[in-house]
Structure formats: structure tokens, C-alpha cells
Amino acid sequence: MKILYLDTSSSFLYCAIVKDNVLIGELKLKLEKDLSTLALSEINNLFIVTSTTPDDIDKILVVNGPGSFTGIRIGLTIAKTYAWGLNKKISTISSLEAMAVSCVESFDYYIPIIDARRGYVYAGIYDKDYNQILSNQYIKLDVLQATLDNLPGTYTFISNDSFDNLGNIQRYDPDFLKIVAKYNDKEEVNPHGIDALYLKLTEAEEKQGEVQNA
Amino acid sequence: MKDVYILGIESSCDETSASIVRNGTDEIATVILSQIDIHTNFGGVVPEIASRHHVKNITMVIEECLNKANMKMTDIDAIAVTYGPGLIGSLLVGLEAAKTLSFIYNKPLIPVHHIAGHIYANNLVKTMEYPLIALVVSGGHTDLVYMEDEYQFRHIGGTLDDAVGECYDKVARVIGVGYPGGPVIDKMATEGKHSYQLPMPLDDDSYNFSFSGLKSAVINLVHNEEQRGNIINKEDLATSFQDVVVDIITKKTIRALKEFKTSRLILAGGVAANQGLRAKLSTVCAENNIDCSFPPIKYCTDNAAMIATAGYFLYKQGKFSGLELNAKSSVELK
């Protein structure tokens, strides 16, 4: 069974083809503003070097957020169009799940965080078996930190972003085999129904909400 | 000769659209999912909200289009997509979908300029003949384009600030008649009389337009009248405003037709649906023996049929793009 894994929710293109639990090709490219230009041509190159055709893929596992809004939409549009177009199975996972599972060192708790600016982060808390203790959310960093005092055990943050005075931060480097092994059997969804996990309203909606609540 | 079927995809603003057009002339099926009801709540298009809705809807729109045409992707010869200009986040969704379809089906990918699309909407009504002048008027554009031959564009003038449709929206907001402003003001203009004095904007020898001064004049007029305790006659103000807009557009368009020695005019873009502009241009074109083509209203607003149509002419020329095609919020029509 060939699985295509795709994550464009940050400035990186993370992509892998996994066949029967063997990694046959991967991309870990910091594309930043070139993500929209290069994502699909890099994926195409990956298919060429691994002698894979689009029809060879049996299932797509795509990250639907949180992270960069534009980045999320690039990967999600590619994945849902691919799955719909060639009638492939597709499942979504969150970027935070992928980050937690990829941690190399063992801890009692994993706290993947993504900088959401203005003192906020996207974060979740996962236990050592990757069960969610705190649901993925858009949260003030100091509020998140306050909840950690009650955690009974060791923990680490996982992030590719920079934070001051946060203590132990493991750099995020996706372990494609672990991610795919963990989420391979996740429930399949209809490609049409796939949507991004932004975890945050747009500014216009937030302002409208403030006006309505005033 | 074998028929050529182009799948067009358009997502440059707040409409998600897919269309299949045969040989650049016959519209087989078009689906347009408009977000106008959503953006009306915010008084205008919110780019991030538009992008979010495009990603939700894109595959459903393409599938519905294929179903409506009773066709499969394998029946399609190439995929044409708007790559710019437009809202970058919105453009990217249609673009990535088109690139993915090109990748998984190994079909040619055709990048289409949004304005070329608007112009070529006319080819769905009547085969375009050249040379011609195209007047493109919409929420994002006010352009005069000279076309000497097929798919040859020479931009001879455009707005220096606000596009005409944008100006309508802002004036509508100032006089409190809602969004989108164009259709509302157009209708009100039929019910009022030209009683307010407004300046003729950029009445010079160029083919450029400027509507920000006119917009400011309306804002100041409303403000001054309110300060004096006078009630604005909104219909009269709509008539006065529309008369000035239509006059300057018509004046420069007719001059362009004369200078470039052509008697063919085509109208394109959302504001091409404006009844006041159509009426005035019809009259003046008739007086000057100019063949004026107005596309039906359904082809004036954003749609993918126009993208598939323009794409056909690029297909004929073999002008395809690789998967590294990117969206551009601003790009010259060449």
C-alpha cells in the first residue's frame, strides 16, 4: 500500500511516499514564499525519482492545520483535488499531532506549539501515548504555560519557531514513518468535505463578533 | 478538426467557478458559486474569508461542472486557470487545483490573465474580429485595451487609483445604500435627476482614469450637506455621480476608437452590466457607426467560461505552463 503524506502548513514542504511501512521518498524543503510556486513541481519530482505515478498512490494523509493559513490551503487543495480526481482514500491529521508523534526523545507529555503572533500560539498537549490531554487550540502563551504547572511528569515543547524563556524546546523534524504508522488507519473522509483546521477566526469575523457582543 | 474541450477554473475574488468550453466558442457547462451573501455582511470582500470558502468548495464546483456537462476529466484536453491579477489567497486555491489536475491527469496547464478572460467572454456571444478596442470595467479594473489581432493586447490606459466598480461601492457606502454598490446606484440613477455638481475626473488627453477625486467629491458633498442640515436626495446624487462616470468613460473610449482607427468595441467586466453605461455607449456607438458588443450579464461578472474561452486561444498557440506556475496579485496584460 502506497501512502502520500503532505504537510504545507508551515514554511516547509514536508512530503513523503511510504510503501508498506518503508519510506521510499521524502521532501523536507524550506520553501517559504516559494511554497505555492514549487510545492507541486517538487512533488512531481519526488514521484519521478521514486518511479511513482499518481495512480500508484492508494491513500493520502494530509495535514489540515493549524499553521500558516495560505500554506494550509496549498497542501489541502492539492490533496483534496488529487483524492477527488483519482478517487483515492484521504484522511487528515493536524500539524500538532504530526509534531508530537515525531519527537525523538521520550517524555510524559509533548506540547507542540506554533507561533500565532501577538502572544498567541496554536498548541495542544499530548501524553506519552499521544492521547490529547489539552485539545488543539489558539491560546495565549502565558495561559498555556500556566496550565503546565499541573502536569504530573516530564514534558517538552516541540516547535520550529523561536520563543523566549520557554525552557525545553525540541526542534520539529517530521518522522514520516512514525506519523504514517500512527495515523494510517485514521478514518477516511470525503474529499469534498475536507476543510482547514484554522483554529482561529479571520480578523473581520473577530471584529464583527466584538461589535455584536458590545 | 478534432473538437477541443477546455476546463476553465476561476477563483480570483469571491466566486469559485468551473466551466467547460468547446473550441473557444461553445459553453458546455458552467458552475459559479458566489460568496456575495457572505461578504455583504462585511460591506465588501474580505480576502481571508474568500480564500477559506474557495478551499471548501473548489472540488465540488469542478465535479458539478463535469456532471452538468456529462463529461469526465479524461474528456478534457487542457486546464485553463486564472493566475492573476486578483486576491492572492483566492487565486492560489484555483491555481493549485488546476495544477493538481494537470499533474494527476497529465493534461496541459494554461495560465490565463483575468482581464484576457473578461475580454474573451465576448467570443462566447459572437466570434471576435480584429482590430478592436476592449473597455474593461469592474470592481478591480478600468482599462482600455487595443487588440490588433487574436490574443494580442496593448494596454493603452487604465485607472490611476480606484477602479470604477470600487468607486461605486465606496459611494454606495457613503450614501448608505449597501453593498455591492454598482447595481444599486445604477438602479437609483434611473430614478433621479442630475442636480448635483461633481467634477469630471481626469478629463485629459490620456486614456487613463482616476476616480478617487470623484469619490472624495461625493464624500465632501454628503458631509457638507449634512452639516448644513440638508437632506441628500440619494437618487439625484446617484444620477449625478453615474452621469459623470459614464461620460468620462464614454468620451475616452470613443476617442480611442477614433485614434486606433477601428470601429469595433467590446465591453467586459462586472461594471459592463451597468445599464447606464450600456445605454450611453449604445447611443454614442450608433452615432459613430461603431459595432459595439455587450456580453450578456452572466458573462460580465467573474466566471470560468471566460477563462476556458481565453485558454482555448493559448491552447492553439501551445502556450502552456509547467507546475511551477504561481499566482500573481498584480500582473500586466500582454
Side-chain angles (χ1 to χ4, degrees):
Chain A
M1 185 175 187
K2 270 190 181 170
I3 295 170
L4 174 69
Y5 174 78
L6 181 60
D7 176 6
T8 60
S9 63
S10 65
S11 57
F12 283 82
L13 166 65
Y14 294 131
C15 182
I17 299 171
V18 176
K19 184 186 177 190
D20 300 329
N21 301 320
V22 176
L23 185 65
I24 62 168
E26 64 173 6
L27 297 169
K28 291 179 180 178
L29 302 172
K30 188 160 190 172
L31 297 181
E32 295 183 324
K33 291 202 182 307
D34 292 327
L35 187 64
S36 61
T37 311
L38 296 179
L40 208 49
S41 59
E42 290 291 351
I43 294 169
N44 185 34
N45 292 339
L46 181 67
F47 274 59
I48 292 167
V49 297
T50 57
S51 301
T52 305
T53 68
D55 211 32
D56 289 341
I57 298 295
D58 298 293
K59 182 173 181 179
I60 299 167
L61 196 55
V62 62
V63 166
N64 66 341
S68 149
F69 295 163
T70 300
I72 293 166
R73 283 192 285 269
I74 289 170
L76 219 50
T77 305
I78 293 171
K80 71 189 282 186
T81 306
Y82 190 142
W84 164 75
L86 292 181
N87 200 20
K88 302 295 181 186
K89 295 170 186 168
I90 185 166
S91 302
T92 61
I93 65 164
S94 81
S95 50
L96 299 169
E97 285 174 318
M99 291 163 80
V101 169
S102 295
C103 190
V104 177
E105 291 181 44
S106 293
F107 292 88
D108 294 320
Y109 299 97
Y110 303 100
I111 309 158
I113 57 170
I114 298 167
D115 188 1
R117 291 178 288 188
R118 297 176 193 158
Y120 281 83
V121 293
Y122 302 111
I125 301 179
Y126 294 78
D127 70 12
K128 60 183 185 330
D129 298 318
Y130 309 115
N131 299 307
Q132 256 186 36
I133 305 301
L134 179 75
S135 63
N136 295 337
Q137 56 193 276
Y138 174 68
I139 184 173
K140 266 199 135 176
L141 182 55
D142 52 11
V143 174
L144 174 70
Q145 284 176 292
T147 66
L148 304 180
D149 296 338
N150 304 321
L151 276 184
T154 59
Y155 67 82
T156 183
F157 292 100
I158 304 157
S159 188
N160 273 339
D161 299 325
S162 302
F163 298 94
D164 294 332
N165 309 317
L166 209 55
N168 190 12
I169 302 183
Q170 306 277 318
R171 192 178 157 272
Y172 171 50
D173 182 16
D175 184 329
F176 295 128
L177 277 178
K178 274 175 84 176
I179 297 168
V180 170
K182 170 77 181 163
Y183 295 105
N184 185 20
D185 296 330
K186 199 173 171 190
E187 190 186 359
E188 289 146 22
V189 284
N190 183 329
H192 291 322
I194 288 180
D195 198 6
L197 179 73
Y198 298 106
L199 294 180
K200 183 180 180 303
L201 292 174
T202 63
E203 282 183 26
E205 289 165 316
E206 283 175 346
K207 277 181 192 159
Q208 193 179 55
E210 284 166 17
V211 171
Q212 283 167 354
N213 292 333
Chain B
M1 198 180 144
K2 181 189 169 293
D3 286 331
V4 174
Y5 292 89
I6 307 283
L7 169 69
I9 297 175
E10 154 69 31
S11 68
S12 65
C13 191
D14 60 340
E15 268 105 14
T16 319
S17 181
S19 176
I20 297 165
V21 171
R22 180 174 54 212
N23 302 332
T25 50
D26 307 323
E27 181 188 10
I28 307 297
T30 300
V31 174
I32 304 172
L33 190 59
S34 173
Q35 304 172 14
I36 193 162
D37 292 344
I38 296 156
H39 297 284
T40 298
N41 296 328
F42 298 94
V45 176
V46 181
E48 176 59 23
I49 292 176
S51 307
R52 290 185 178 198
H53 283 274
H54 284 307
V55 80
K56 256 190 209 176
N57 299 325
I58 187 72
T59 54
M60 280 185 280
V61 167
I62 299 169
E63 181 177 271
E64 199 182 325
C65 178
L66 286 162
N67 289 345
K68 215 170 150 184
N70 199 20
M71 293 176 78
K72 297 191 284 288
M73 271 308 298
T74 45
D75 301 323
I76 300 295
D77 293 285
I79 300 138
V81 64
T82 311
Y83 72 100
L87 301 173
I88 193 74
S90 291
L91 286 164
L92 279 173
V93 175
L95 189 81
E96 293 298 339
K99 282 163 68 166
T100 305
L101 290 175
S102 168
F103 167 58
I104 62 176
Y105 284 104
N106 197 24
K107 304 275 184 193
L109 178 69
I110 306 170
V112 175
H113 192 287
H114 184 72
I115 296 305
H118 272 304
I119 291 171
Y120 270 93
N122 283 272
N123 208 62
L124 290 164
V125 187
K126 191 172 87 172
T127 301
M128 284 161 58
E129 292 178 64
Y130 309 90
L132 61 80
I133 292 283
L135 169 64
V136 185
V137 276
S138 71
H141 306 274
T142 313
D143 296 300
L144 277 167
V145 178
Y146 173 64
M147 292 181 72
E148 190 172 358
D149 209 340
E150 189 176 288
Y151 226 87
Q152 287 180 13
F153 306 101
R154 182 175 157 199
H155 188 258
I156 59 170
T159 184
L160 303 175
D161 39 57
D162 292 354
V164 62
E166 202 180 347
C167 190
Y168 268 88
D169 285 341
K170 285 177 183 168
V171 167
R173 202 176 305 156
V174 169
I175 61 175
V177 293
Y179 170 87
V184 182
I185 290 184
D186 189 24
K187 185 169 181 296
M188 287 170 69
T190 62
E191 295 157 4
K193 57 183 186 300
H194 191 139
S195 59
Y196 292 101
Q197 290 303 308
L198 292 167
M200 186 67 110
L202 200 65
D203 189 11
D204 63 1
D205 292 339
S206 76
Y207 293 114
N208 291 326
F209 300 95
S210 169
F211 294 106
S212 68
L214 178 61
K215 176 189 70 186
S216 300
V218 173
I219 293 169
N220 290 339
L221 190 149
V222 170
H223 182 69
N224 291 340
E225 291 296 297
E226 281 174 354
Q227 281 207 325
R228 290 190 193 112
N230 297 335
I231 295 168
I232 289 279
N233 184 316
K234 292 180 179 178
E235 285 74 21
D236 282 2
L237 184 55
T239 307
S240 308
F241 166 75
Q242 177 144 303
D243 279 356
V244 169
V245 170
V246 166
D247 280 353
I248 192 66
I249 290 176
T250 304
K251 187 177 175 183
K252 293 202 171 185
T253 303
I254 297 298
R255 185 155 52 78
L257 285 154
K258 286 180 178 164
E259 186 185 325
F260 286 88
K261 297 183 174 55
T262 173
S263 57
R264 295 187 195 95
L265 172 67
I266 60 170
L267 203 56
V271 182
N274 184 291
Q275 295 302 323
L277 182 62
R278 283 181 176 232
K280 175 90 175 186
L281 279 172
S282 294
T283 306
V284 178
C285 285
E287 288 167 5
N288 290 277
N289 290 322
I290 290 161
D291 176 17
C292 187
S293 167
F294 299 137
I297 307 292
K298 68 172 181 171
Y299 293 138
C300 291
T301 47
D302 290 350
N303 66 85
M306 67 187 199
I307 301 304
T309 304
Y312 169 76
F313 293 94
L314 291 169
Y315 179 88
K316 280 204 304 181
Q317 296 174 14
K319 289 190 175 166
F320 306 137
S321 173
L323 294 175
E324 67 287 350
L325 177 67
N326 198 10
K328 291 178 179 166
S329 58
S330 170
V331 57
E332 206 179 315
L333 175 64
K334 284 191 277 196

